[in-house]
Amino acid sequence: MNGVHDMGGMHGMGPIEHEKNEPVFHAAWEGRIYALTRVLRAGGGKGNLDASRHGIEVLPPAEYLRMSYYEKWFARLRGQLVSTGIATAAELESGQPAPGSAKATPALTAAMVPEMIARRNSARRDVPATPHFKVGQRVRARNINPAGHTRLPRYARGKAGVVVRDHGVFVFPDTNAHFLGEKPQHVYSVRFAARELWGQQAAPLDSVYVDMWDDYLDPA
């Protein structure tokens, strides 16, 4: 979707600050938010990675820019708990279950956590899917402006590039984020010349590589 989160190529955001010896978490609460998010996704069966990304994209722009990384995760987690019916807004506010509410049986126990952490979930799918493009082919990113989730950045839309690699078949984020099906299809690494993206002021030998699904591309 078009929103403030799609910052690729935007001016005026300032330099990227690299923190030397940055810890995994800056505070204990960040680790708890990470853990709760993993538990909800693994044990609840009510979400996926693409839906989680979209949950952050719909935050109000001013809040998105103000929040730290894990503050965004916390806001998304609250919204997901309410939208999926796991908890009500009143329960989250009070920290107590509503009177008479049923006690749920945890889908994920403490004993199951080590296996969950060790297991790497993948969006790759071993299903037949005909590739629409081949390595070496010139392609053009579609100039689309979806209201829902997409992994097609604004700066690449309408721009021409060359397919340099076929990664194989993967879940399509644009439908998966809204629980409309996985729609597995080929994903390609597409090389865009920097000057194609940014104009003649860009370095002439620089390129940007973007992973693009079949549905993002047309022949150039």
Side-chain angles (χ1 to χ4, degrees), residues 15-200:
I16 298 174
E17 301 291 344
H18 293 277
E19 182 179 345
K20 188 176 181 180
N21 300 319
E22 183 178 6
V24 176
F25 301 111
H26 288 83
W29 70 265
E30 295 182 342
R32 296 189 67 175
I33 295 301
Y34 174 82
L36 287 168
T37 300
R38 289 292 304 269
V39 168
L40 181 63
R41 190 183 303 162
K46 294 179 179 291
N48 58 60
L49 179 59
D50 299 310
S52 294
R53 285 171 171 157
H54 186 61
I56 290 180
E57 293 167 357
V58 296
L59 293 173
E63 290 296 286
Y64 181 92
L65 293 173
R66 178 193 64 77
M67 291 176 173
S68 68
Y69 184 77
Y70 279 106
E71 283 179 321
K72 295 183 181 77
W73 277 46
F74 178 54
R76 175 190 61 196
L77 182 63
R78 288 177 61 96
Q80 188 176 3
L81 287 170
V82 173
S83 66
T84 56
I86 295 175
T88 66
E91 288 174 323
L92 293 178
E93 189 66 29
S94 68
Q96 300 293 327
S101 60
K103 185 175 181 179
T105 301
L108 189 72
T109 65
M112 298 162 64
V113 170
E115 181 183 354
M116 179 197 73
I117 296 298
R119 185 175 62 251
R120 300 286 295 180
N121 294 327
S122 176
R124 183 185 293 274
R125 294 294 181 266
D126 185 18
V127 298
T130 302
H132 295 179
F133 307 95
K134 60 184 179 180
V135 172
Q137 183 174 355
R138 282 185 56 78
V139 293
R140 186 175 298 277
R142 292 177 176 171
N143 189 10
I144 58 175
N145 294 276
H149 179 67
T150 186
R151 300 292 286 173
L152 174 55
R154 277 197 302 259
Y155 66 79
R157 297 174 192 172
K159 305 299 184 177
V162 178
V163 175
V164 296
R165 182 177 180 181
D166 185 339
H167 290 297
V169 178
F170 288 80
V171 171
F172 187 48
D174 300 43
T175 54
N176 195 46
H178 304 286
F179 307 101
L180 299 175
E182 292 190 342
K183 200 181 181 182
Q185 55 191 263
H186 282 257
V187 176
Y188 313 90
S189 177
V190 179
R191 182 179 67 241
F192 295 90
R195 287 191 168 180
E196 170 73 8
L197 299 177
W198 318 122
Q200 291 303 306

